[in-house]
Amino acid sequence: MIGLCTLILTAVVHAASVDTQRHRLARDGMLSAIRADYQDTANYIGQDRADPDVLLAMGKVPRHEFVPRGARRHAYANRPLPIGHGQTISQPYIVALMTDLLDVEAGDRILEVGTGSGYQAAVLAALVSQVYSIEIIEPLAEQARQRLQRLGYSNITVRAGDGYFGWRQHAPFDAIVVTAAASHVPPPLIEQLKPGGRMIIPVGTRFMVQELLMVVKDDAGSVTTRQILPVRFVPLTGGH
Amino acid sequence: MTRPPLFTVALTSGLALALEVLLMRLLSIVQWHHFAYLVISLALLGYGVSGTFLAVTQHRLARRYTAVLLANVALFPVTAVACFHIAQRIPFNAEEVLWDPWQLLYLAAVYLLLTLPFFVAANVTALTLMHHRDQMPRIYAYNLAGAGAGSVVVVGLMFLLPPLATLKVLAALGLAAVVAAVWELAAAGRRWVAVAALAGLVVLAWAPIAQRLAVSPYKGLSQTLRIPGTRIADERSSPLGYLSVVESPQVPLRHAPGLSIRAVKGPTAQTAIFTDADNPTFINLDATGLKYLDYLTSALPYHLRPLRRVLILGAGGGADIQQARLHGVGRITAVELNPDVVDIVQSRAPVYSGPPGSPAVDVHVGEARGFVAGAAERYDLIQLALLDSFAASSAGLYALNESYLYTVEALKTYLARLEPDGYLSLTRWVKLPPRDTLKLFATAVAALTDAGLVDPGRRLMMIRSWQTSTLLIKNGEVTPGEIAAMRRFTEPRAFDLVWHPGLQRSEANRFNVLSRPFFHEAAVALLGPRRDQFLERYKYDIRPSTDDRPYFFHFHKWGVMAEILSLRGRGGTPLVELGYLVLAATLLKAVIASAGLILLPLWILRRRRRVESSAPLPALRVFGYFFAIGLAFLFVEIAFIQKFLLFLQHPLYAITVTLTAFLVFAGLGSATAHHRMSVRTPQWIAGAAVAGICVVAGLYLWLLGPLFDLLLAQPIPVKIGVAVLLIAPLAFGMGMPFPVGLLQLGEDAPQLVPWAWGVNGCASVISAVLATLLAIHFGFTAVVLAAMLLYLLAWLSFPLPAAVPTADR
C-alpha cells in the first residue's frame, strides 16, 4: 500500500515537474523574444539590451498563472491577452520595457495604478521592497489579491479603488506605473512622485501600445516627459 | 402574360437597402465603423451569390416560381432579425485581429450571416426578372424606386426609433411584404399566409430577440461602465449617432486631453456623452473647477492678445466654450452638428448661458464648414477642436473617414472669416510616429501658398504637449510680441515649441522629449524648398488633404508595408493603419469571392451547354458589359455623393438626398427605356444612355464647383431642390444600360440572365470599395473619369448586338 502511494506521489511530482519544466522552457522562449525586440528598438529606447535583473525577474514569474485558463497556451507568447472585464495583460516585451525604464532599486517603494491580473506587480515585486497597487474594477482587484497571495507575493498590497489620487498614506513613491491609459497624467500622481523618480504610462489601446510616456521628476522637483516609441521605425528619411 | 409582382419587388428592395443602412449604423455602434464598412460591403455579395445560385438552379426553380418567390420574400424578415441576433453572439474583437488568427474566422462567420438577408432579397428581384423576361426594365424600375424610398424611410425611422426597434420595424414590413406577395401572385392559401404573418408579428413584438446591443468590451463606453457606480442616465438615437449619457457619481469622470504635466489640478466632476459607444465628449458639471482649461495646448491663442469674438466649431460637451469664457471672451458663437448633443448639454449644465451677467453663447446646430461658409461675421479666433466625433457621425453609407473639415479649401474658407490679425486654431492628437499633426501643418502650408503667400511660415505657430498639438494660422504675420507671449505660455506649462518664425532646433524638444525633435524638423522641411521630396520620402502619407481627396485620416503608404509587416509581433502594431488595411483586405476578399461566384456558374452552364449543343456562350461580352456598368454605376454615385456633401453641407441630407435621387431617377430611366423599346433597339438605347451619362458627368466636373459657390448661401430646401435637379439627368441615363442589356440577353441567351445579375452584383461590391481606394489615392475627379471610361467600355461590349447573331439563334 505504501509502495502504491509512493508510486502515485512520485508520478504526481513528476507530472508537476514536467509541467514546470514546460513553462520554464516557454518562459525562456519569451525572454528570447524580448531580447530580440530590444535589439530591434534600440533606436528609440536608447539601449539595445534589457536590464538583466528585469529579465531575471520575468523569468521567475509564472505568467501562465495570470491569464485565464482558456488562454494559457498563449501565456508566454509575446502578445497581449484578454483577461476579462474588458482588460488585458500586456505584451511581455512592453512589461519588460516599462519595468526597465522605471530604473528601480532594491529598496524602492512603487505605486501601480491598474492592477489588472497582477502580473506587472509580480514582476516589480521581485525587484523592489514594496509594491502598492490600486485597481478600479473590484472583481479584478479581488482576483489579483487572491492570486498574488496564493503565489506567495508578500510585498504587494492591492486595494480596490480610484487610482486618480494615488495612495497618499504610502507616498511619496520612488516610481509609479500607470498600466491603464488615461486622458491625462493625474496631477496627484505627479505630486506623489519623489524627486528623482519616474512614472511610466503606456499610451494606446488595450491591444496596441502606441508609445510609452515616461514622466521624470528631477532632483529639483521639475517635471518633464520622454516619449518612447517601442518600435524599430524611423519615419524621417531626410530631405530636410 | 401575368403581371409581375412589382409592389413586392419594390418593397423587398426598399427593405434590403434600409437594412443595409441600418446595419451600418448597428455595426458602427457595436464595433468600429471601418469594420461596419467591411461587413456591409461583403454582405452585399449576397447579390452576387443570388446570381450564382439562380444561374445554377434556374431549371428547377422556374417550375416552382410562385413558391420559391414567396419563400424568399418570407425569409427576408426572418434572416434580417435572426442573423443579426446570432452575429451579436460571435465574440469577434477587431483589436485582436493582428494577434489572433481565430478572429478572422469569427469575422467571416459574421459576414456570412449578414449576407443571408441580402441574398434572399436579391433572389426576389432576380426571380421576377427571370420569370417576366419581357418586362425587365419595368421590374428594374420598381427595384430602384423601392430602394430609393427605402433609404428615405429608414433615415426617418432612425430619427423616431432606436436602431434595434428600427430593425424590428423593418422585419414587420418584411412580413407585410409576404402578405402583399401572396395577393399579387394570387397564390393559394392567402388567408393562412396572412394569419402566419400576423403570428410572426406577435413573435417579433414579444420574443426576447435582439433586445440589447452587444457593444465590444474594448470600446470607450464599455470601459467607462466598468467603473463602479457609473450608469447610463440617458440615451438618444438618430441617424447622426447613438448617444449615451454616462454619469459617475462615485468616481468622478475626468477628461482633460493634453493637460500640462505641470497643472496643479485636473478637471472635477464631468458627465460624458458617448457617440456610438465611443468618441466621448465631456460636460464640466462644476463651474468652479475649470482652471484646468488654461493648461491645455488649445488655450494658446487666448494668451497672445485679448480676443473679443470667438467661433467654436464642434461645441460638443462645451469645454471649448468654457475655455473661451474663462479667458474673458465676450461674444462666443458655437456650432454643433448633433441637436441631441446641444439638448443634453443644455439640460445638464449652464454651459451656454454662462454665469449671471455674462452674455449667452450663440449656439447653432449645423455642419461646421457650411456654417463658416455662410457666416456674415468675422472672428478674432476660429477654433476647430478635436472633432473626431464629427467624422464618426458622418461615417455614412460608403464613407471611410473622409473629412471636409481639414482640407486646403476648408482652411481657406475659415481664414476668409477671420478679422485682420485673427487666428485659426486647430488642435489634434499627437501620434507617434508623427502623422496627423504633420498632415495638418502641410495642409496649412498648402492653403497659405494657394492664397498667394510667398512665405507661409511667417503666419504659423505650433506647440505640442505629450498628447495634443495646437496649430495657429494667423491672418497676418506673427509678431515678436506674439512669439514672446507664446513662450510665456508654453514655458510654465512644459509645452514644446514646434514652430514659430525664427525658432531654433535646440528649443524644440525640451519638455516632452522625443529621440529627435521630429515635429520641428518636419515643419522646417514642409516649409523649405525640398518639401516635395520630404513628402515623397516620409513613411506616412502626409500630403495636404483636399476636397477632391478629403482623406485627412489616411496615412498608409504601400512602400513601407514590407517594413511594417516585418515588425508585426515585434512591437510594430502601432504602425499599422488598420482602417486602410481593412479596406484593402475587403477589396481582396470581394475580388476573390466574386471570381468564384462568377466562374462557378459559368463552368456549370458550359458543361450543360456542351451536353445540349455545341454553340459557345457569349460569356466574355456579357461579363464585360454587366461588370463595367456595375462598377461605373457606383463610381458615379459615390463620387457625386461626395460632391453634394460639400454643397448640402450636412452628411445626412447629402447622403439621403443624393442616394434617393439617384435610385428614383435611375428607376424612371429604366421605366422610360421600357417604353422606348417599341421604337428603338436595346443597343441604341444603351448607346444613347452612355453618351448622355458621359456628357453630363463630364460637364458636372467643370460646372459643379462654380455653381455650388454661387448657390452656397441659399437655404437648404432650395439647395436640395437644385441637387435633385442636377442628379436627375445623370441618374435617368444610368438607369437604362442594365435593364436593356438584360432584356437583350433574355432574348438571346436567357440562361445567362441570372448570371448577369450576379456579375453586376459582384461588380457593385468591388466598386464600392474600389471607388474609396481610388479616391484616397487619386481623388474623386479620377473616380468620375474612370466611370466614364467604364461606361464606354460597356457600350463597346454590349451583349449580342443584333448584327452578330449567336450560334443558338
Side-chain angles (χ1 to χ4, degrees):
Chain A
M1 189 65 192
I2 292 173
L4 187 65
C5 287
T6 315
L7 196 67
I8 291 170
L9 203 64
T10 315
V12 168
V13 170
H14 186 66
S17 76
V18 167
D19 193 44
T20 310
Q21 179 65 19
R22 189 161 58 82
H23 288 130
R24 205 174 295 138
L25 280 174
R27 265 200 298 282
D28 285 346
M30 177 185 86
L31 295 181
S32 304
I34 294 173
R35 284 192 199 97
D37 277 359
Y38 260 78
Q39 280 175 357
D40 275 350
T41 55
N43 205 348
Y44 281 96
I45 61 179
Q47 58 192 82
D48 62 1
R49 63 191 63 206
D51 180 339
D53 291 343
V54 171
L55 291 186
L56 206 63
M58 289 184 73
K60 283 185 200 153
V61 180
R63 188 171 155 96
H64 60 278
E65 296 281 0
F66 291 82
V67 303
R69 202 163 286 278
R72 284 205 174 159
R73 63 201 162 93
H74 298 301
Y76 292 99
N78 194 13
R79 54 163 286 194
L81 288 167
I83 56 165
H85 302 279
Q87 307 301 307
T88 54
I89 178 169
S90 301
Q91 184 184 3
Y93 159 61
I94 296 292
V95 175
L97 189 55
M98 284 172 56
T99 313
D100 201 348
L101 288 168
L102 283 176
D103 199 19
V104 293
E105 284 172 18
D108 282 356
R109 193 158 33 173
I110 313 280
L111 172 68
E112 181 189 38
V113 177
T115 315
S117 66
Y119 180 69
Q120 173 76 69
V123 171
L124 282 166
L127 295 163
V128 301
S129 67
Q130 188 65 45
V131 179
Y132 297 94
S133 189
I134 308 171
E135 171 57 55
I136 199 158
I137 301 169
E138 279 164 18
L140 267 184
E142 192 46 43
Q143 274 172 25
R145 196 190 347 250
Q146 285 175 12
R147 178 181 294 130
L148 291 165
Q149 206 168 21
R150 176 167 56 83
L151 295 172
Y153 290 95
S154 55
N155 59 342
I156 304 173
T157 315
V158 179
R159 85 168 159 89
D162 177 15
Y164 190 85
F165 294 103
W167 202 329
R168 203 165 290 280
Q169 191 190 341
H170 301 291
F173 299 98
D174 297 283
I176 298 176
V177 54
V178 182
T179 53
S183 89
H184 59 278
V185 186
L189 294 188
I190 295 179
E191 196 194 314
Q192 289 174 25
L193 193 62
K194 269 188 196 169
R198 288 174 165 196
M199 178 174 0
I200 289 282
I201 306 173
V203 180
T205 66
R206 298 270 162 218
F207 288 89
M208 284 188 213
V209 175
Q210 244 107 47
E211 64 172 282
L212 294 176
L213 179 75
M214 180 161 78
V215 181
V216 183
K217 195 183 240 185
D218 68 16
D219 293 337
S222 179
V223 186
T224 53
T225 72
R226 254 186 77 194
Q227 288 173 260
I228 297 137
L229 182 71
V231 190
R232 180 198 72 195
F233 190 81
V234 182
L236 291 184
T237 56
H240 51 93
Chain B
M1 195 71 193
T2 54
R3 184 182 173 277
L6 294 171
F7 181 71
T8 306
V9 167
L11 189 54
T12 316
S13 310
L15 288 174
L17 196 124
L19 182 68
E20 183 192 337
V21 174
L22 179 68
L23 279 180
M24 193 85 185
R25 201 82 279 298
L26 284 166
L27 293 169
S28 295
I29 300 169
V30 299
Q31 286 288 339
W32 280 271
H33 97 268
H34 46 266
F35 277 92
Y37 185 92
L38 170 128
V39 170
I40 293 304
S41 53
L42 285 172
L44 289 180
L45 270 175
Y47 287 85
V49 182
S50 153
T52 303
F53 171 72
L54 295 177
V56 176
T57 57
Q58 53 188 314
H59 294 297
R60 262 164 288 163
L61 295 187
R63 275 168 281 156
R64 302 187 196 99
Y65 166 68
T66 306
V68 176
L69 188 85
L70 274 178
N72 278 289
V73 176
L75 276 173
F76 179 80
V78 176
T79 50
V81 175
C83 292
F84 181 74
H85 188 60
I86 300 169
Q88 282 261 280
R89 289 166 180 265
I90 295 177
F92 169 65
N93 172 21
E95 280 211 272
E96 260 188 286
V97 164
L98 288 165
W99 305 101
D100 182 5
W102 278 96
Q103 295 299 333
L104 291 175
L105 265 182
Y106 293 148
L107 183 62
V110 170
Y111 54 66
L112 273 179
L113 273 170
L114 298 183
T115 298
L116 279 175
F118 298 103
F119 167 70
V120 296
N123 281 347
V124 172
T125 303
L127 281 165
T128 312
L129 283 170
M130 280 161 60
H131 196 72
H132 300 274
R133 250 181 262 144
D134 59 325
Q135 302 192 52
M136 280 177 181
R138 203 164 153 225
I139 297 164
Y140 187 57
Y142 274 81
N143 164 277
L144 289 174
S151 74
V152 179
V153 169
V154 75
V155 170
L157 278 175
M158 287 195 294
F159 267 118
L160 297 172
L161 298 169
L164 279 176
T166 308
L167 182 64
K168 288 192 173 188
V169 170
L170 293 189
L173 288 170
L175 290 172
V178 182
V179 178
V182 180
W183 254 261
E184 271 197 308
L185 294 164
R190 285 187 234 185
R191 276 186 204 153
W192 289 115
V193 173
V195 169
L198 211 63
L201 214 58
V202 173
V203 171
L204 198 62
W206 294 103
I209 38 172
Q211 281 176 323
R212 226 169 147 92
L213 283 171
V215 176
S216 157
Y218 303 102
K219 287 193 90 168
L221 176 64
S222 312
Q223 295 275 320
T224 304
L225 290 175
R226 300 268 177 200
I227 300 171
T230 47
R231 62 184 193 97
I232 296 180
D234 193 2
E235 284 179 304
R236 308 276 178 100
S237 175
S238 84
L240 281 175
Y242 191 76
L243 303 182
S244 317
V245 182
V246 176
E247 287 177 346
S248 183
Q250 207 174 316
V251 180
L253 301 176
R254 308 175 196 93
H255 184 76
L259 184 73
S260 159
I261 44 169
R262 303 232 173 120
V264 183
K265 269 190 94 174
T268 48
Q270 294 176 330
T271 285
I273 309 173
F274 287 83
T275 301
D276 290 347
D278 220 347
N279 277 324
T281 179
F282 291 80
I283 308 169
N284 285 305
L285 299 174
D286 175 10
T288 59
L290 301 175
K291 285 256 165 58
Y292 82 95
L293 292 167
D294 193 38
Y295 284 82
L296 306 180
T297 55
S298 56
L300 170 65
Y302 299 107
H303 288 259
L304 301 181
R305 66 181 171 85
L307 305 171
R308 287 178 305 120
R309 279 187 192 177
V310 172
L311 171 64
I312 286 153
L313 300 178
D320 292 289
I321 294 172
Q322 290 168 322
Q323 188 184 49
R325 197 179 281 128
L326 185 75
H327 291 93
V329 176
R331 291 185 57 185
I332 305 168
T333 307
V335 184
E336 167 57 45
L337 183 68
N338 195 335
D340 283 335
V341 170
V342 173
D343 193 45
I344 291 166
V345 172
Q346 217 147 20
S347 67
R348 290 184 176 261
V351 172
Y352 304 139
S353 53
S358 70
V361 177
D362 190 10
V363 187
H364 293 262
V365 172
E367 195 274 333
R369 182 169 165 188
F371 177 84
V372 180
E377 264 193 281
R378 284 175 179 271
Y379 303 91
D380 294 316
L381 170 67
I382 297 178
Q383 192 165 46
L384 192 67
L386 277 168
L387 284 171
D388 293 10
S389 56
F390 263 27
S393 354
S394 70
L397 290 180
Y398 298 110
L400 196 93
N401 291 340
E402 83 278 18
S403 166
Y404 289 97
L405 293 169
Y406 294 107
T407 64
V408 170
E409 293 85 346
L411 297 194
K412 281 160 77 178
T413 307
Y414 308 142
L415 289 172
R417 296 261 65 86
L418 286 179
E419 290 280 8
D421 295 327
Y423 311 103
L424 169 62
S425 168
L426 305 126
T427 297
R428 293 279 341 141
W429 301 106
V430 162
K431 269 194 210 163
L432 284 184
R435 275 163 264 187
D436 31 1
T437 300
L438 299 187
K439 194 165 196 163
L440 190 61
F441 196 86
T443 308
V445 172
L448 291 171
T449 312
D450 250 27
L453 294 158
V454 187
D455 195 353
R458 304 200 67 80
R459 291 172 176 244
L460 297 172
M461 288 173 268
M462 194 174 200
I463 60 169
R464 66 179 168 90
S465 71
W466 66 272
Q467 201 176 20
T468 59
S469 68
T470 294
L471 168 68
L472 295 190
I473 312 176
K474 191 185 168 188
N475 188 17
E477 296 203 345
V478 177
T479 64
E482 283 169 322
I483 294 174
M486 187 177 173
R487 286 166 175 265
R488 280 197 300 276
F489 173 74
T490 52
E491 192 87 22
R493 289 168 180 77
F495 293 151
D496 277 294
L497 301 167
V498 174
W499 174 258
H500 66 63
L503 179 70
Q504 298 300 308
R505 189 176 185 273
S506 59
E507 297 174 299
N509 197 23
R510 293 172 53 208
F511 302 110
N512 301 284
V513 184
L514 298 161
S515 60
R516 275 164 60 181
F518 285 132
F519 289 92
H520 174 69
E521 287 177 352
V524 172
L526 290 169
L527 286 162
R530 297 173 67 193
R531 170 173 165 255
D532 291 342
Q533 286 110 301
F534 175 77
L535 289 174
E536 184 65 32
R537 293 170 69 180
Y538 198 73
K539 287 185 183 172
Y540 287 100
D541 184 354
I542 52 164
R543 288 177 298 163
S545 133
T546 63
D547 280 353
D548 197 43
R549 214 163 32 75
Y551 291 92
F552 181 79
F553 302 100
H554 164 75
F555 306 104
H556 180 78
K557 268 189 178 177
W558 281 109
V560 291
M561 197 55 208
E563 184 178 351
I564 287 177
L565 281 180
S566 75
L567 295 174
R568 198 180 144 265
R570 302 168 79 180
T573 39
L575 304 172
V576 179
E577 289 290 330
L578 210 53
Y580 182 85
L581 288 188
V582 164
L583 187 68
T586 310
L587 181 66
L588 189 71
K589 286 183 186 177
V591 168
I592 294 170
S594 298
L597 289 172
I598 289 167
L599 292 176
L600 174 76
L602 199 62
W603 180 69
I604 293 173
L605 286 176
R606 273 183 197 279
R607 276 181 47 148
R608 275 194 201 143
R609 187 80 170 183
R610 228 174 274 143
V611 177
E612 288 162 14
S613 79
S614 59
L617 283 168
L620 196 63
R621 268 179 171 271
V622 174
F623 171 79
Y625 184 78
F626 287 98
F627 199 77
I629 57 174
L631 283 184
F633 190 100
L634 273 183
F635 271 21
V636 174
E637 193 179 272
I638 289 168
F640 282 103
I641 283 180
Q642 295 294 331
K643 299 263 174 213
F644 284 95
L645 201 65
L646 263 177
F647 179 54
L648 297 173
Q649 290 164 349
H650 196 293
L652 202 59
Y653 294 148
I655 292 168
T656 316
V657 167
T658 321
L659 190 64
T660 308
F662 260 107
L663 292 169
V664 169
F665 284 102
L668 267 180
S670 183
T672 310
H674 181 71
H675 292 299
R676 299 291 296 165
M677 296 299 271
S678 50
V679 282
R680 297 288 183 190
T681 64
Q683 196 184 8
W684 190 93
I685 295 175
V690 165
I693 295 164
C694 288
V695 170
V696 176
L699 266 178
Y700 281 3
L701 282 184
W702 293 101
L703 278 182
L704 286 190
L707 191 69
F708 287 172
D709 285 344
L710 200 71
L711 299 172
L712 206 60
Q714 297 297 318
I716 276 285
V718 174
K719 289 206 279 192
I720 289 179
V722 171
V724 171
L725 279 179
L726 285 167
I727 291 166
L730 192 61
F732 188 76
M734 285 161 60
M736 295 182 177
F738 181 74
V740 295
L742 218 51
L743 194 72
Q744 180 78 60
L745 195 63
E747 282 180 18
D748 300 331
Q751 71 275 39
L752 284 185
V753 167
W755 184 66
W757 167 258
V759 167
N760 192 262
C762 290
S764 305
V765 176
I766 293 175
S767 179
V769 187
L770 194 60
T772 309
L773 272 175
L774 279 177
I776 283 174
H777 290 284
F778 307 106
F780 284 110
T781 304
V783 176
V784 175
L785 290 174
M788 287 159 68
L789 268 178
L790 283 165
Y791 268 121
L792 287 174
L793 193 77
W795 183 66
L796 289 175
S797 54
F798 188 82
L800 315 179
V804 189
T806 53
D808 61 336
R809 260 189 156 180

